[in-house]
Amino acid sequence: MDAKLNAIIESMHDEMIDTLQKWIRVPSVKGEAAPGAPFGKEVRSMLDMALADCEQMGFKTQNFDGYIAHADLGEGSDEDALAILAHLDVVPEGDGWKYPPYGAVIENGRMYGRGTSDDKGPAVAALYAMKAVKDVGIPLRRKVRLILGCDEESGWEDIAHYNKVATMPRMGFSPDASYPIINIEKGICRLELHGVLSNEGLQVIAFNNGERPNVIPGRASALVAGDAATVAQAEAAAKKLDIPAEVQLTDKGVSITVTGISGHAAYPETARNANGEMLLLLRELGVQGDLRLLADKIGLDYKGEGLEISVSDGISGYLTCNLGIIRAGEGGVYATLDIRYPVMTNPDMIIKNVSASLPGMRVEAMEVKEPHHVPAGSELVQNLLDAYHEVTGYERKCLYTGGGTYARSLQEGVAFGASFPQDEDLAHQANEYADIEGLYKNIKIFALAIVKLAGKA
């Protein structure tokens, strides 16, 4: 790396920390729409803050109705620009935090908080990489555009809006996954399940859990009819199934709370779904109907075996399935499945098999996103791998993911960083953090990538 560029980045240490702490302290979870704030006031506040920082650094910005915005370095056509796509919205904080989820507490070289790794930390690193290139005065042959979205964790209405009112660059990367590079993203199929609450067996009064289809819930609570004997049965069942549970007799019935391990729907092997645990516990206590059906067909199975959708290929691995939301009560039974499927899989087959596996339940597709693949030999991939290797010395190789990043919104887009191979994956989990020195390494990698892909020869 150029010595001047490296020196500039080293000088940004305290400033970068201050910026990220400020961003983390905004709880930019999607909320109720308001004028100029389609994803809620907190998300709009975060967008305004980020744009103010971009402008203070000397970048030309444009805000597209509070949905999404961008900041430009250099000149050139929009279509030919090098795009860096990051997002400012975060998933709800959930339970189990040791540190305040929006406190941006720094301890032992780590900054803790929702969004530190997904995706505000990488966004700040990309912004400072652009600033470093600008401050050194490196001549560019194309524009570099940082696109900051506000609905990545939900419905991607931000990207849809951007495509209507602006020109999306053809090529770029999203620092919203892992190194070395992810050039294959699995397809995403999100389903809604509708059923009825049975009057037979164990009576479930309320079971309302989960925040987002793409979040694996770490806790689940249910209220069932019963007495002291039911409490004893529930405690014995939880022990038998090895499910951590708190059981209490209340004036409304028996309250049961189980504890799993929260996580991202794309990586279920790192988590333990509390909704699935609760279903298995309720089945042990005698629940019938569609809740029992969900326990039988899904439970803690995250590969879709019970739903007859378990598939894999040599390009992108195996299918994963997350039971993210359950609502059960007087209105019936409602649940969501977030399914990440391999490149060679037909989503129509998934929907057909899920419907056949859950007789009596209505299955509806909420969203289907096709898989995304950029050839490993492309100029984009090879230059990004070079930048990564030159800064870290680590192996150059391509990976696949079940995660869905903004990269798939580009004709030629890949996920590039920001987690290193040795990093913990805490996206969507309690105690999410970013390693501060890792963020500085990211700035260097992104800056070198900009030079390679947008700098004049």
Side-chain angles (χ1 to χ4, degrees):
M1 174 176 281
D2 178 85
K4 290 183 179 179
L5 186 59
N6 188 69
I8 284 286
I9 293 172
E10 292 294 335
S11 72
M12 294 175 170
H13 192 278
D14 293 344
E15 183 183 354
M16 191 278 287
I17 290 177
D18 290 343
T19 299
L20 182 54
Q21 284 187 308
K22 183 175 63 173
W23 288 23
I24 295 301
R25 287 168 181 154
V26 180
S28 50
V29 177
K30 187 175 183 177
E32 183 178 351
F39 309 118
K41 293 182 179 179
E42 292 289 4
V43 176
R44 177 57 195 260
S45 176
M46 182 63 253
L47 183 62
D48 290 342
M49 178 183 292
L51 290 180
D53 287 337
C54 292
E55 290 165 4
Q56 189 275 330
M57 293 180 185
F59 300 122
K60 182 179 178 181
T61 68
Q62 191 168 357
N63 180 355
F64 298 95
D65 309 308
Y67 282 83
I68 194 168
H70 66 224
D72 288 344
L73 167 64
E75 302 294 334
S77 74
D78 292 343
E79 185 177 5
D80 188 51
L82 173 65
I84 305 174
L85 297 95
H87 65 91
L88 302 174
D89 60 312
V90 298
V91 298
E93 59 270 23
D95 301 309
W97 285 79
K98 177 182 177 182
Y99 306 91
Y102 303 111
V105 172
I106 296 175
E107 185 173 299
N108 296 325
R110 297 172 172 176
M111 184 185 299
Y112 291 86
R114 179 60 81 221
T116 47
S117 66
D118 181 23
D119 191 35
K120 294 179 183 179
V124 166
L127 175 59
Y128 275 87
M130 290 171 60
K131 184 178 188 296
V133 171
K134 173 181 173 292
D135 289 352
V136 173
I138 295 173
L140 301 176
R141 69 179 186 270
R142 59 160 55 105
K143 181 189 301 181
V144 179
R145 171 165 287 176
L146 177 61
I147 300 175
L148 298 170
C150 296
D151 192 38
E152 196 274 347
E153 298 290 7
S154 296
W156 285 37
E157 292 180 37
D158 51 354
I159 295 295
H161 187 76
Y162 192 85
N163 285 328
K164 291 178 182 177
V165 300
T167 299
M168 181 68 77
R170 184 187 67 82
M171 180 183 75
F173 65 89
S174 179
D176 191 20
S178 304
Y179 289 117
I181 202 166
I182 292 173
N183 66 322
I184 298 175
E185 295 188 7
K186 294 178 184 179
I188 301 175
C189 179
R190 292 191 175 125
L191 304 179
E192 289 183 333
L193 313 178
H194 301 266
V196 297
L197 196 60
S198 175
N199 291 322
E200 300 178 359
L202 179 74
Q203 295 298 292
V204 174
I205 301 170
F207 177 12
N208 300 307
N209 195 69
E211 297 164 326
R212 298 280 177 85
N214 63 340
V215 176
I216 300 171
R219 288 174 67 86
S221 297
L223 182 67
V224 304
D227 51 21
T230 309
V231 172
Q233 292 169 1
E235 290 174 340
K239 183 176 181 180
K240 174 184 175 182
L241 298 172
D242 194 24
I243 294 175
E246 297 177 9
V247 186
Q248 184 177 1
L249 182 62
T250 74
D251 56 357
K252 295 181 180 181
V254 176
S255 171
I256 305 173
T257 300
V258 301
T259 301
I261 301 173
S262 62
H264 192 297
Y267 313 107
E269 65 277 3
T270 67
R272 185 175 171 90
N273 193 313
N275 278 342
E277 289 181 321
M278 181 63 79
L279 286 171
L280 296 180
L281 184 54
L282 294 178
R283 182 179 67 181
E284 190 72 16
L285 293 175
V287 76
Q288 299 298 315
D290 288 337
L291 286 179
R292 185 180 186 91
L293 183 63
L294 292 177
D296 291 341
K297 298 295 184 177
I298 303 174
L300 289 174
D301 168 28
Y302 59 77
K303 291 187 177 182
E305 294 176 352
L307 296 171
E308 302 294 334
I309 58 173
S310 178
V311 293
S312 64
D313 62 34
I315 300 174
S316 50
Y318 60 83
L319 176 147
T320 63
C321 179
N322 176 53
L323 184 64
I325 297 173
I326 290 184
R327 304 281 183 260
E330 292 182 359
V333 175
Y334 169 85
T336 65
L337 295 179
D338 182 303
I339 299 166
R340 311 295 170 109
Y341 63 91
V343 170
M344 306 302 291
T345 304
N346 184 339
D348 292 337
M349 177 277 293
I350 293 173
I351 299 171
K352 178 181 177 181
N353 286 17
V354 170
S355 298
S357 298
L358 299 173
M361 298 193 77
R362 188 172 82 253
V363 178
E364 297 180 348
M366 301 166 59
E367 179 182 29
V368 177
K369 293 181 180 178
E370 296 292 329
H372 179 71
H373 180 205
V374 176
S378 70
E379 175 190 0
L380 173 68
V381 171
Q382 290 303 309
N383 276 289
L384 292 176
L385 286 174
D386 286 345
Y388 169 74
H389 177 72
E390 287 178 31
V391 172
T392 66
Y394 297 156
E395 182 182 4
R396 304 167 78 262
K397 65 177 181 179
C398 294
L399 306 172
Y400 65 81
T401 184
T405 74
Y406 282 152
R408 66 173 63 222
S409 66
L410 300 172
Q411 181 179 336
E412 187 179 358
V414 296
F416 185 56
S419 296
F420 294 96
Q422 68 273 19
D423 290 347
E424 284 186 279
D425 180 15
L426 289 173
H428 297 189
Q429 297 185 43
N431 298 316
E432 176 185 348
Y433 70 84
D435 179 81
I436 292 175
E437 290 310 311
L439 288 175
Y440 284 103
K441 193 175 291 184
N442 272 297
I443 296 175
K444 294 179 180 181
I445 294 170
F446 297 157
L448 187 55
I450 290 170
V451 173
K452 288 180 177 293
L453 289 165
K456 289 185 177 178

